Amino acid sequence: QDVELSQLLSALGSGDRETRVAAEAALAGSRHMSGFAPRLALAATGAGGDPVPVRQMALTVLRQLIRDNWANLSMEDSAVVRKALLDALAEECSALRGLWHACAVHVCEASQGSWPNLQERLRAGLAQGNAHEASCCVECMLTLLEEGGKDVAASLGPLQAPLLRLASSD
C-alpha cells in the first residue's frame, strides 16, 4: 500500500481547511513527478485496500491530471494509466466506475479519439461479456458520447453492430 499517497488523498477530503490546503500544496508538487499518475491509478483500483472515498479522490485527481497534463506524461506512465483504465471498465462500485469512464474520456480526447485498445475492450465486453460487463461497456460508451468531442464520438462508430446485437438479444 502507498501509505503516503493514501494519507495525501485522505487529507484532500478533510473538513479541516489547514489540512486540506497543505495537502493541495503537496499535490501541486507531486502532479508533474514521473510515476505519480500510475500511483494514483493503482490507489484507485483499491489494490492497497483504500476505502471508496480515498479511491474516489484518487480518480478525481487522476482525471484532472489526465485532462491538464496527459501530453507531458512519460510513455511508461501513460501505458500504466491506460491499462488501469481498461481493466476498470467494469468496476463493481458504480460511484467509482463513472469516474473511471470519465478518465477514459480525457485519454480519448487527448488522443483525438484514437485509442484502439479501448474500442477492442468495449467490443469484447458488448459481444462476449457477461450482463454486468456488457452494461458497463454501454455506460462507458454513453459517457464517451456525452462528455467527449466529435473525434471521440466518431471513434465509437464501429461499435454500432455489437451494440445492436446486444440490444436485439433480449
Side-chain angles (χ1 to χ4, degrees), residues 15 27 106 162:
L27 174 65
H106 289 301

Side-chain angles (χ1 to χ4, degrees), residues 30-109:
S30 300
R31 291 179 77 104
H32 302 289
M33 292 177 59
S34 178
F36 188 65
R39 286 174 64 199
L40 286 169
L42 182 62
T45 66
D50 288 313
V52 169
V54 172
R55 295 173 65 196
Q56 286 176 307
M57 187 61 73
L59 283 166
T60 300
V61 173
L62 182 62
R63 181 181 183 183
Q64 293 168 346
L65 192 148
I66 292 169
R67 184 191 65 221
D68 300 339
N69 201 39
W70 183 256
N72 297 319
L73 291 183
S74 69
M75 299 258 314
E76 295 82 12
D77 283 3
S78 62
V80 170
V81 171
R82 283 179 190 256
K83 181 181 180 332
L85 291 171
L86 291 173
D87 291 346
L89 285 179
E91 163 70 48
E92 291 294 327
C93 176
S94 62
L96 295 171
R97 190 170 53 246
L99 288 167
W100 282 110
H101 295 170
C103 288
V105 169
H106 289 301
V107 171
C108 281
E109 287 183 324

Side-chain angles (χ1 to χ4, degrees), residues 123 127 160-170:
R123 181 180 292 108
Q160 289 180 18
L163 189 57
L164 289 171
R165 278 193 296 279
L166 177 66
S168 67
S169 68
D170 287 341

